[in-house]
Structures are given as structure tokens and as C-alpha cells.
Amino acid sequence: MTTPSSRALLRIGIPVLKVVVALGLVIWIALKVDFTEGWAAVRTLSATTICVSVILLLFQALLSAWRWCLLSEMIGQRLKISGAMKLFMQSLFYNQALPSPIPGDAARIFGALRYGLTIKEATLGVVMDRILTLFGLAVVALIGLIIMRAFYGHDFPIPYLTELTALGVAGTIASALVFSWRRHLFVRLLPEKLHALNEALGAFLAHRRMLGIFLLTLVIHGLGVVSLEILVLGLGLPLDWGQAAAAFPPVLLIAMVPISVGGWGLREGGMIISLAVFGIGTTEAATLSVVFGLLQLVVGLAGGVFVLSRPHSGKIKAL
């Protein structure tokens, strides 16, 4: 059984470990980068390129907020899109500013209570949104890995990444099918605290909008790829749209691994090894990744405008 002191140690130790991992990876990559060349490349970016990329990221946030509204409606009461967008921007701010996604999720949950949702509905909506985000990204990454292998004759440099991603996607789909067919078995096996999640998953899988929401999730992740390719064109890198569809989704999946802060270090490392397959050097790949990360940071920090006006600061800070 976990004691209060050990839980407190974990609450402090895990974020610190993430910061250490991020700093370690960034420093290691920085030693391999030509900063003069990278800065020269950044200076070639036009304001139009940067604005288009940021607009795509903001549109990605808007669609994510809309998906959250649709999921909330399946579970109980639908959020207003205006409120969902404000709360989603707040969560992006916390995710960029803090080494843990928990405060960002908490901001959405507590904020949703002000729009009439119960704590159960708000929590389930955020959890379902998280699950769908991760599964959708895994599907998009698998498509990219298949394109890389089938159309360009290359395997991703990380061994067995394609096979592991395919196994994860196939396992999730198989579990969903079994869940739909023999849902009562899950009710018996799951702890009582997870019965509400069991009901929410059942409502999602049986809903007529299930396929539409999943396709919306693919579009949301696709916008990240498009935003990256806009930067590629602005930097003048020799990477066409097909290569971008193959190279970028696995990198975005790697950046989701929860051992860093905001994906920093993981994203740059993944970008370097992914773009190396198409002959793009370390400095160019790292520069692209850093610029993309900074634009994500700008979009996330923009959520700070909504954080300043939130009425639940004490609850979030306590987490």
C-alpha cells in the first residue's frame, strides 16, 4: 500500500525526472547541431509561413474542443463550444508550462462544472478525450510507418516501432470489438470505480456519431502534419507531402511518451532519425522541430489569457 510520504515523493520526483530527461535530451542534441546554420535557416522563414502554421495549430485546438463537446454529449450534457475552447486553451497552457498533464486535465474538469456538467460527466469526458487522442495518433502514426515502408522502401530507424504500433492499434480494436460483444464480462472484471468508464465506452462505441468523431480525430492529428510541412516549405527543405505524411506522424507519437516535458527532446530526437531516412541532416531536422515546438508553445501560452480570468486557481495549484 502506498504511504502518504511515498505519494508525495512521487508527485515531486516524476515531474523532476521529466525535466531532467528533457534537459538531457536537448543538451545531447544541441551538441550535434550547427547553431549558425540553424539560425540562418530560421531567418528565412517568412511571417506568412509562421502565421499559417500558427493558424493551423489554433484550428487544431478548435476542432479538439469541438470533439470534446461531442464526447461530453454522448456521456451526459454537451458543453458549449465557446466554453470548451476556453477550457481547452487553458489546458494547453498548463501542458506547456508544467511538467505534468494533470493540471491541464484538472482545469478542464473543474471548468466544465461551471457549464452544468457533474464531476462524473466532466471527468469521463476528459478521460475519453485522452483515450481517443492517443488511439487516433497511434493510427495516424501507423499509416505513416506503412507509407514509409510500402512507398519509400524504408523502415523507421527505431527497431520494431511499426510492429509495436500495429500491435497496439490491433489490440485496441480487438478489445473494442470484444467489449461491444461481451460487455458484461468487463463489468465483472473491472473495479467498481471504473464501471462509469465502462458505461461511457459503451455509449461511445454504440453511438451513431462514433465513426465521425474518430475521423475528426484523424483530421486533428493531420493538421499537425500539415503545419509541419508548411514550415518545411518555408525552410526550403527537400521533403514533399508524401514524405511528410510518412515521417511526421511517428515523431508526434514519440513526443507523446510521458517521460519528458511537452515532448521536448523526444520530438527533436525523433525528428532527426525520421528525416534522416529522407536525407535531411541533423541541423535541419532539429531546427524544424524546435520551431514547431516554439509555435506550439506560443499557442499554449496564449491560453494563459484565459487562465488569468479563471475562478478555480486554488484548485489547480493544489494539484
Side-chain angles (χ1 to χ4, degrees), residues 109-133:
I109 292 170
F110 287 128
L113 300 182
R114 293 187 287 115
Y115 293 93
L117 272 69
T118 65
I119 186 67
K120 174 183 173 181
E121 292 169 344
T123 303
L124 287 174
V126 171
V127 171
M128 289 288 294
D129 190 60
R130 280 284 184 182
I131 293 172
L132 194 56
T133 295

Side-chain angles (χ1 to χ4, degrees), residues 297-313:
L297 183 62
V298 168
V299 172
L301 293 180
V305 175
F306 301 107
V307 172
L308 293 175
S309 61
R310 75 195 188 284
H312 49 273
S313 58

